[in-house]
Amino acid sequence: MELSRLSLAHAADLLRKRSLSSVELTRFFLTRIEQKNPELNAYITVDEEGALAAAQAADARLARGDGTPLTGLPLAVKDLFCTHGLRTTCASKMLHTFCPPYESTVTRRLKEAGAVLLGKTNMDEFAMGSSNETSFFGPARNPWNPARTPGGSSGGSAVAVAAGLCLAAIGTDTGGSIRQPAAMTGITGLKPTYGRISRFGMIAFASSLDQAGPMTRSVADAALLLQSMAGHDPLDSTSIDAVVPSYAEALTAHVQGLRIGIPAEYFAEGLTDAVRDAVERAITTFRALGAQCIPLSLPSTPYAIPTYYVIAPAEASSNLARYDGVRFGYRCENPKDLQDMYARSRAEGFGAEVKRRIMLGTYVLSSGYYDAYYRKAQKVRRLIADDFQTALAQVDLLLTPTTPETAFLIGEKNNDPVRMYLSDIFTINVNLAGLPAISLPCGFDANSLPIGLQLIGRPLQESTLLTAGQAFQQATDWHLRSPV
Amino acid sequence: MSIDTRTVQNVARLARLQLSPEELDPCAEQLSRILTLMETLNGLPTEGVEPMSHAVDIRLPEREDQVCNGDQREALLACAPDTEQYHFRVPKIIE
Amino acid sequence: MKHPPPSRYESVIGLEVHAQMRTRSKIFCGCPNQFGAVANSQICPVCAAFPGVLPVLNREAVNMAIKTGLAIHGQLRLFSEFSRKNYFYPDLPAGYQISQYELPIVEQGHLMIDSPTDKTSKRIGITRIHMEVDAGKSLHEGILGASWVDLNRTGTPLMEIVSEPDLRSSAEAGEYLKKLRAIVRYLEVCDGNMEEGSFRCDANVSVRLRGTTTLGTRCELKNLNSIRNVMRAIDYEVERQIELVEHGEQVVQESRLWNADLNSSRSMRGKEDAHDYRYFPEPDLPPLRITPERIEAVAQTMPELPEAKSVRFQTQYQLSAYDAGVLTSSRELADYFEAVAQHTADLGHPNPKAAANWVTVELCGRLNRDNREIQHTPIPAHRLGQLLAMIQRGTLSGKMAKEIFEILFTDGGDPEQIVRQQGLQQVTDQDAIVQVIEQVLDAHPEDVGLYLAGKTKVFGFLVGQIMKASQGKANPALVNQLLQSQLLKRG
Ligand SMILES: [Mg+2]
Ligand SMILES: [Zn+2]
C-alpha cells in the first residue's frame, strides 16, 4: 500500500478500521516532507508538533468511534489562511514572522472536521503570480520536472498534493490560482462559486475574486473537502447563505444527456497543440459517456485579462494598505520619520510583483483615471458575466483547457509580466463571473508534463462539476499518474 | 498609454512605496506595457452597462448590535513591531 | 469679531457634522462602542484591520441612520453602498475608511431653523447623511520622539451629516447645530457631546459680494469642539477672507485648524493626498438594500421630535412659542416640564404656564449656575410639582417658595415637610394676623395718626412692618385687607 497516494476516503477507512493510526500516517508525511521538501519547496512552515498533537487527539477520537469525516487525515493549507498561533506569511517578507492570534474559518472548519494540519504551503507572494516564483521563500518546484514551475499562486499546495507530501491541500483562486497549478502538476483543483466558502481569515488579494478550494488527487477527494468547508459564515458578508448539498451524492458519474458547451474562443491562438489534442480527446471521452458537446461562443473572452488586471490590482492596492509597519508585520530599520517608515517598510517588505500590482491598482483608481480604467473594467466584467450566463442557460457546463500550455521553466517569464499574465487567460474569466470551475488532469505532453481541462458550472452548481469530473476520472486514469 | 516617471513617482507616493531613482524608468516602462494591454478594453462599447462590483448578487447581512469581542489587547499588541505603554508606537506624527 | 463685516459681503457656510452613533457595539465588529476605556482594550483583529479579517455591518447603526434621515425629512435610498476611502494614517488601521460615497443612505433632507440674523424661519438643506467608520486616536503630547496610537475608537459608527451651503452667518450655523444636536439627542442616536468629540463639526466657509450667486473659494475649518468655537471660527474666517478679497488677494482652498486659545486659525500643512482618496465600492460588503417596511417599522420607534413637541406644547399648555421652544430644546427638559405640569394638575392645581416659568427660569437658571444639565437636576419633577401646587393653594408665597426651592436644590427633601419643619407655613389665620397688626399699630401711633389724616402713603410702611413682625409668614393679601379695617377702627 502506497501511503503517499492514498485517497481521503481510503485513508479515512483505514483509520476507522484502526489498521493505520493517524499518528503513523502523520509521521509518514512528516518524514516524506523532510526528505522531499528541500528540493520541491512545497512547504513554508511544517508544524510537526501541532500535527502530531492533532493526530494523537484524532486517534483518541477514532478509538472512541466518534470520528468525523476528516478525522486524522493529514492535510496542508496555503500559507495565507490565518492559523491561530502558527506563522502565516503569505510568502512575504512583510509577514515572515506574523503569528495570527485568530483562526480562518476554512482552517477552523477543517480542524473541527478532524483534519491534521501538516503545515503551510508555499505560494506566490500575497497570491500574486502564476508560477510561485514571487515567493519570499523561493519558488516551489514541479515534481514532474523540478526545473519547471508548478504554476501559481497555490503552487506549494499543488506540489504537496502531486508529490504525496500530504493527502490533500487547500488553495485559493483569484484568477486561476487553484486550477492553473492543478493543471500543471496533474492534480484536481476546484474553485467553488464565489461566496461558497468563507473568506474570513484568508489573507485578501482581491476581495471580489478570491475563493478557497480543494486541491486533491481525485474528484471524490475534492467533494469531501468541499463538504467540510462550504457554507455560510456570519463573519463574511459575501458568503452565500444557501443550503450545502451532499457532494458525495453528486459523485454518480452520470453524464448521460449532460449538455457541455465548448466555447470557440478557448481553442484559438496561443493554445499549444499538445493541450488542444488532450482536451479534444477529453471531449471525445465525454461524448462517449453520453454527454452532448455543443460548440458555442463567449465573445467577451479576450477582454478578461485586461479587465482582471484592472480590478484585481485595484482591490489589492487597497487591501495591502494595512501593511504599514504599525500593528503587525515588517517595519524598516530606523525610520527617520513617519512617511519614511511607510515608504521603506512597504518597499522593503513587499516583493517586485506585489509592488507592481499595488502601483497599477493605485494608478487605475487615482483621480482622473478611475472612469477610464476601473469603471470601464467593471462594466466589461458585467459583459463577461452576462456572456457566461447566456451560455450556461443553454448548457449545463462549459469545457475548456485550463491553461494554454504546460508547465514552463522557472525564470522563463520572469521579466515579462504581460506574458506571465497571459498564462491565466482561460481561468480568469471564471473569477470575474464568480462561477465554480474544476481542473482535471487529461493527458501529458511530449515532455511528460501534465495537461488540465477545465469544467465551468452555473453558480452554486459545484455538484454538476463533481458529477462530470467523477465520470471523467472513472473513464480515464490521468489523475492516477504519479511523478514519483 | 505611456506613463512618465513623474506619474510613477506620484503613484508611488500615494501608495507609500519608496522607489529608488534606478527603479523609476523600468517601472514606468512596465506599467506602460500593462496599461497598453488594458486599453484593448476601449474596443468594447459599454454604454449603459451597469458596473459590476461583486461577483454574486447577495443581500448585505446585518449583525445584531451585541458586544461579543473581549479584550484582545495583549494578543494584538504582541504582533506589533513597536509598542509602548499599551499603545502602538510610531515615528512622531507631524500635523 | 472686532467689527462687523462690510455689508457688501455675504458669507456662505456649509457644515459637515460627524455624529458618533450610540450603538452598543462597533459598526463592523463586536467590540464595545464605549468612550474612555484603557488604551487598546477594546480592539479585535477586525477593527484593528489585521490580515484576512472582514467587516460585518451592525443592524442598529443602519436603523439609527434611517431614524436620523426620517427626522430631517430626507430621502432614504433603498439601495445604498459602502465604499473605501483610501489614505494612510497611523490611526486608520486598514489604510482605508469604509464610508458611503456615490450612494449614501440618506439624501435631500432639510432642517428648519429660526434665523437669528433674518428673524425668520429658514430652511437649511441637508445634502446627505452617510454611514462610515471612525478612526482611532493618535497621541503626541509628552511623548518623546514618537506618537502613540490607541485604536479603541476605531470602528465606532459615524453618521456624516452634510448641509447645503445655505447658512449665511455664524449665528445661523449655531442655530443649525443646536437643532441638529437636539434631534440626534431626541432620537438617542448620538449623545451630541462636542467636547468629547462624539458630535464633531467641520465648517466650509466662503464669502462673496452680496447679490452675486457664484460661490467663492472655500476653506474648511477643523477642530471646532463647541458650538461657540464653531461660531467664533466662522466669524474669524469670514473676516480673514473679506480682508484678503478687499486687498485684492486670493483665498486659497485649504483646511484650517482652529485654535480656541489663540482665537485664530492656521493652515494645515498640505494634506497631500486629500484630493485623491481613490474611492471604490467596498468589495467586502454587498450593497445595502432596505425595504419600505423596514423604514416604516423604524419610524414607529421614533419619539416625538422637537418641532412637533413645540407645536403641541403651544396648543396643549397654551405656552408661548418662545417657552415651548426653550422647553423642547432637549428631550429631557421637555419630559421634565411635562412631569411637573402633570403632577401639579394631579394635585388639583393645574398651571402649566407657572410650571413652564419655574422650569425655564428658576430651575434652568439654577442649573446653569452649577453648570449642570437637566438630566442631573437634584429636584425630582414631582417635588417641583408639589411646590407649585402649594403656591397655587396659597400655602406659600412666591418668596417663600423660592426659599424652599433653594433648600430642595441643595439638600433635597419633601417641600411639605420642609415647610412644616421650618415653620414657614404662610399664616392665614385671621385672628393671628389681627394680633400682629394690633401690636404694630400700637408701636407706631404717629403713623396711624398720619394715615388717618389722609397721608395714605404710610400704609405700605405699615404692611412692611407687619410682614417683618410675622417673619414673612403672613399672607400679604390678608394683611392688606385686615390692616385697612384695623386702621379704620382707630379712626
Ligand atoms: Mg467623513
Ligand atoms: Zn473590534
Side-chain angles (χ1 to χ4, degrees):
Chain A
M1 182 176 47
E2 176 53 63
L3 291 183
S4 70
R5 305 298 297 174
L6 277 179
S7 74
L8 288 175
H10 191 184
D13 195 44
L14 293 174
L15 293 179
R16 238 186 329 269
K17 285 190 196 137
R18 315 294 294 140
S19 48
L20 179 69
S21 77
S22 176
V23 170
E24 281 171 312
L25 190 58
T26 303
R27 276 198 205 286
F28 166 79
F29 281 115
L30 289 171
T31 308
R32 201 171 154 83
I33 292 166
E34 213 172 274
Q35 289 162 353
K36 298 197 174 278
N37 201 54
E39 186 196 5
L40 298 176
N41 203 16
Y43 285 86
I44 290 173
T45 303
V46 178
D47 184 19
E48 185 170 337
E49 206 178 310
L52 287 171
Q56 257 162 21
D59 282 331
R61 288 190 71 169
L62 289 161
R64 290 197 305 270
D66 65 350
T68 42
L70 302 181
T71 300
L73 302 182
L75 307 179
V77 299
K78 191 175 181 177
D79 201 17
L80 52 57
F81 292 98
C82 287
T83 41
H84 196 151
L86 180 63
R87 185 170 79 135
T88 302
T89 70
C90 241
S92 180
K93 181 180 179 184
M94 185 57 87
L95 290 176
H96 76 284
T97 59
F98 178 59
C99 219
Y102 49 94
E103 188 80 24
S104 76
T105 298
V106 161
T107 49
R108 183 174 53 75
R109 286 188 177 174
L110 290 173
K111 287 175 179 175
E112 281 168 5
V116 170
L117 234 62
L118 291 167
K120 314 290 286 289
T121 56
N122 204 349
M123 54 184 282
D124 279 297
E125 184 183 8
F126 279 97
M128 297 177 191
S130 307
S131 64
N132 218 305
E133 289 167 283
T134 70
S135 169
F136 175 64
F137 300 93
R141 292 176 178 273
N142 196 319
W144 295 92
N145 180 345
R148 293 182 182 266
T149 117
S153 65
S154 310
S157 288
V159 174
V161 173
L165 305 184
C166 60
L167 285 179
I170 310 300
T172 63
D173 191 315
T174 304
S177 286
I178 287 175
R179 293 158 288 155
Q180 184 251 25
M184 290 188 171
T185 56
I187 65 165
T188 301
L190 171 65
K191 181 203 98 76
T193 311
Y194 180 87
R196 180 84 278 190
I197 295 176
S198 170
R199 294 186 297 115
F200 182 82
M202 188 177 114
I203 298 179
F205 161 16
S207 310
S208 80
L209 301 162
D210 295 344
Q211 181 63 202
M215 302 178 77
T216 57
R217 287 190 293 265
S218 70
V219 168
D221 283 0
L224 188 60
L225 285 187
L226 179 62
Q227 198 77 57
S228 302
M229 295 187 289
H232 180 247
D233 179 9
L235 297 177
D236 176 1
S237 300
T238 60
S239 106
I240 297 174
D241 194 359
V243 176
V244 178
S246 162
Y247 295 117
E249 281 172 24
L251 299 172
T252 58
H254 181 78
V255 294
Q256 184 70 42
L258 194 75
R259 297 164 62 86
I260 300 177
I262 315 293
E265 290 78 5
Y266 287 71
F267 293 85
E269 58 188 299
L271 191 61
T272 59
D273 291 342
V275 174
R276 182 193 304 275
D277 292 348
V279 175
E280 277 171 359
R281 277 197 305 275
I283 294 171
T284 311
T285 304
F286 274 109
R287 278 216 183 88
L289 291 168
Q292 265 182 282
C293 293
I294 302 156
L296 50 74
S297 170
L298 291 167
S300 56
T301 300
Y303 299 101
I305 293 267
T307 301
Y308 176 88
Y309 279 98
V310 172
I311 289 171
E315 291 181 9
S317 71
S318 176
N319 283 335
L320 270 59
R322 69 191 56 199
Y323 305 99
D324 57 5
V326 177
R327 287 144 295 123
F328 46 77
Y330 178 80
R331 179 190 288 193
C332 68
E333 293 287 330
N334 305 318
K336 68 174 194 286
D337 58 30
L338 183 68
Q339 297 310 328
D340 185 50
M341 182 195 77
Y342 281 144
R344 274 204 298 127
S345 297
R346 291 166 59 77
E348 294 166 16
F350 291 135
E353 182 60 24
V354 171
K355 283 189 272 192
R356 179 152 47 234
R357 297 202 195 185
I358 290 174
M359 290 288 288
L360 194 54
T362 304
Y363 179 78
V364 298
L365 287 175
S366 65
S367 84
Y369 302 101
Y370 183 88
D371 287 338
Y373 291 105
Y374 187 72
R375 198 189 295 273
K376 177 78 183 180
Q378 280 195 310
K379 289 179 168 196
V380 177
R381 182 179 186 179
R382 172 83 59 197
L383 297 179
I384 290 167
D386 287 351
D387 256 17
F388 276 110
Q389 206 183 356
T390 309
L392 287 165
Q394 302 159 38
V395 295
D396 299 301
L397 46 83
L398 301 165
L399 190 157
T400 76
T402 307
T403 60
E405 57 182 357
T406 53
F408 47 91
L409 291 166
I410 290 172
E412 190 181 333
K413 301 185 182 183
N414 258 354
N415 300 317
D416 190 346
V418 172
R419 231 187 110 205
M420 184 71 91
Y421 297 170
L422 289 171
S423 72
D424 290 331
I425 192 156
F426 299 146
T427 46
I428 265 173
N429 316 263
V430 171
N431 298 79
L432 290 169
L435 301 173
I438 194 167
S439 178
L440 306 168
C442 70
F444 289 85
D445 70 0
N447 295 322
S448 302
L449 295 169
I451 297 168
L453 75 85
Q454 174 175 237
L455 300 174
I456 304 166
R458 296 180 189 136
L460 295 179
Q461 297 300 307
E462 285 82 5
S463 293
T464 312
L465 300 178
L466 295 170
T467 304
Q470 179 72 355
F472 187 74
Q473 292 192 339
Q474 282 187 2
T476 61
D477 68 351
W478 305 115
H479 63 293
L480 299 177
R481 309 278 180 97
S482 156
V484 277
Chain B
M1 170 97 191
S2 87
I3 292 192
D4 56 20
T5 52
R6 251 197 67 160
T7 307
V8 169
Q9 273 174 315
N10 182 44
V11 173
R13 188 185 52 74
L14 273 178
R16 298 293 187 277
L17 287 172
Q18 189 177 65
L19 288 185
S20 64
E22 310 85 70
E23 288 174 292
L24 286 176
D25 278 330
C27 185
E29 192 262 331
Q30 280 182 336
L31 287 182
S32 301
R33 286 187 51 208
I34 299 167
L35 288 169
T36 306
L37 171 73
M38 289 171 180
E39 263 136 43
T40 57
L41 293 181
N42 296 333
L44 196 60
T46 51
E47 227 171 73
V49 178
E50 184 65 26
M52 182 171 165
S53 306
H54 299 273
V56 290
D57 188 24
I58 63 171
R59 195 193 177 86
L60 177 61
E62 294 168 56
R63 43 170 269 272
E64 293 307 318
D65 182 22
Q66 270 156 12
V67 173
C68 57
N69 286 335
D71 178 359
Q72 297 183 50
R73 179 172 68 177
E74 311 287 335
L76 296 177
L77 284 170
C79 299
D82 194 3
T83 62
E84 195 168 16
Q85 293 184 34
Y86 297 114
H87 290 83
F88 299 99
R89 191 173 187 271
V90 297
K92 197 100 186 156
I93 301 167
I94 302 144
E95 301 240 342
Chain C
M1 206 171 11
K2 279 170 272 172
H3 53 78
S7 60
R8 51 193 205 102
Y9 289 98
E10 114 177 311
S11 42
V12 178
I13 302 153
L15 299 181
E16 278 173 29
V17 169
H18 283 92
Q20 286 182 346
M21 293 191 248
R22 286 174 56 190
T23 51
R24 280 190 285 272
S25 59
K26 291 184 177 182
I27 186 167
F28 293 123
C29 67
C31 287
N33 173 20
Q34 246 170 23
F35 181 79
V38 181
N40 289 310
S41 63
Q42 302 188 336
I43 62 172
C44 72
V46 175
C47 54
F50 270 56
V53 298
L54 297 168
V56 184
L57 181 61
N58 184 337
R59 182 195 313 278
E60 197 51 33
V62 179
N63 287 345
M64 288 182 173
I66 293 174
K67 276 185 199 174
T68 313
L70 290 171
I72 56 128
H73 319 285
Q75 298 278 321
L76 284 156
R77 280 195 149 277
L78 299 184
F79 182 96
S80 68
E81 76 180 6
F82 285 95
S83 291
R84 291 185 184 177
K85 178 182 182 177
N86 295 283
Y87 65 95
F88 285 88
Y89 204 78
D91 63 21
L92 183 74
Y96 55 83
Q97 179 192 33
I98 302 179
S99 182
Q100 293 192 296
Y101 185 53
E102 281 185 35
L103 306 172
I105 186 161
V106 179
E107 290 174 315
Q108 292 172 40
H110 71 267
L111 211 59
M112 298 303 295
I113 63 161
D114 298 316
S115 165
T117 329
D118 298 354
K119 309 281 177 221
T120 54
S121 184
K122 194 171 163 183
R123 185 185 198 274
I124 306 301
I126 292 177
T127 320
R128 57 189 278 151
I129 299 179
H130 66 251
M131 293 175 274
E132 62 184 25
V133 41
D134 208 347
K137 276 184 177 158
S138 312
L139 295 90
H140 320 286
E141 265 158 64
I143 303 161
L144 210 64
S147 292
W148 287 356
V149 181
D150 172 10
L151 297 178
N152 280 347
R153 200 179 69 176
T154 316
T156 298
L158 289 180
M159 271 186 293
E160 182 172 326
I161 306 164
V162 183
S163 88
E164 292 287 318
D166 286 348
L167 300 157
R168 290 291 171 271
S169 66
S170 61
E172 283 186 3
E175 259 333 277
Y176 169 84
L177 280 178
K178 278 185 209 155
K179 268 273 158 86
L180 187 61
R181 191 173 59 176
I183 287 175
V184 295
R185 282 178 169 169
Y186 262 76
L187 295 172
E188 294 178 324
V189 298
C190 172
D191 67 19
N193 192 325
M194 288 186 86
E195 284 75 17
E196 284 178 6
S198 47
F199 188 83
R200 310 195 282 271
C201 175
D202 296 339
N204 286 302
V205 178
S206 64
V207 298
R208 66 181 171 200
L209 281 174
R210 217 169 274 280
T212 56
T213 50
T214 49
L215 291 170
T217 306
R218 67 189 159 87
C219 289
E220 185 186 32
L221 309 178
K222 292 184 167 293
N223 193 33
L224 313 173
N225 58 5
S226 69
I227 290 183
R228 204 171 94 90
N229 275 327
V230 171
M231 294 169 65
R232 284 167 62 200
I234 289 172
D235 286 336
Y236 176 88
E237 182 61 17
V238 167
E239 199 181 334
R240 190 185 72 86
Q241 290 188 14
I242 289 172
E243 226 145 89
L244 284 174
V245 176
E246 288 278 276
H247 289 82
E249 288 172 53
Q250 296 281 321
V251 175
V252 181
Q253 183 167 346
E254 62 183 357
S255 291
R256 299 184 65 85
L257 197 70
W258 175 250
N259 185 324
D261 296 330
L262 301 177
N263 201 19
S264 70
S265 68
R266 67 168 168 87
S267 175
M268 285 172 83
R269 193 184 57 87
K271 285 173 58 190
E272 285 178 300
D273 306 335
H275 305 296
D276 210 341
Y277 287 127
R278 289 158 285 134
Y279 282 99
F280 73 104
E282 164 59 287
D284 288 332
L285 295 168
L288 173 63
R289 292 182 175 88
I290 54 175
T291 60
E293 292 73 37
R294 177 175 183 182
I295 296 170
E296 184 50 41
V298 170
Q300 294 302 323
T301 68
M302 295 199 6
E304 185 183 28
L305 290 171
E307 271 172 46
K309 207 184 271 286
S310 170
V311 169
R312 176 167 67 79
F313 278 15
Q314 290 172 50
T315 50
Q316 184 179 341
Y317 302 116
Q318 306 287 303
L319 300 183
S320 68
Y322 177 80
D323 280 348
V326 173
L327 286 172
T328 55
S329 64
S330 91
R331 187 169 166 182
E332 289 79 8
L333 186 61
D335 288 350
Y336 186 89
F337 157 74
E338 290 214 279
V340 173
Q342 184 61 50
H343 204 79
T344 332
D346 288 348
L347 293 173
H349 297 280
N351 188 344
K353 181 76 196 155
N357 275 336
W358 273 82
V359 171
T360 56
V361 181
E362 301 303 329
L363 183 61
C364 287
R366 188 64 186 78
L367 287 168
N368 257 342
R369 254 206 287 152
D370 283 14
N371 237 329
R372 284 158 107 163
E373 302 274 351
I374 186 72
Q375 295 90 300
H376 307 115
T377 173
I379 308 182
H382 72 278
R383 292 301 186 204
L384 187 57
Q386 231 178 319
L387 188 70
L388 299 198
M390 288 162 75
I391 303 171
Q392 292 293 305
R393 222 184 289 136
T395 321
L396 282 181
S397 68
K399 184 160 172 281
M400 288 156 74
K402 279 175 195 172
E403 282 169 38
I404 307 283
F405 174 87
E406 188 55 38
I407 296 167
L408 286 176
F409 197 93
T410 46
D411 304 329
D414 173 350
E416 305 268 6
Q417 223 168 45
I418 294 167
V419 164
R420 246 176 282 126
Q421 278 165 3
Q422 313 248 334
L424 282 171
Q425 194 101 1
Q426 194 160 176
V427 180
T428 49
D429 175 352
Q430 293 210 9
D431 295 343
I433 293 174
V434 168
Q435 218 178 334
V436 178
I437 291 174
E438 289 295 324
Q439 282 167 16
V440 169
L441 295 186
D442 290 346
H444 297 87
E446 316 85 58
D447 296 293
V448 175
L450 284 171
Y451 180 83
L452 292 174
K455 303 262 196 246
T456 50
K457 267 187 184 167
V458 296
F459 188 81
F461 167 77
L462 290 169
V463 169
Q465 293 302 308
I466 294 159
M467 291 306 289
K468 200 170 151 191
S470 79
Q471 290 166 313
K473 286 185 246 171
N475 182 320
L478 267 180
V479 169
N480 270 293
Q481 186 195 324
L482 294 174
L483 176 60
Q484 198 94 39
S485 54
Q486 290 306 311
L487 281 168
L488 292 175
K489 273 188 194 163
R490 298 197 177 203

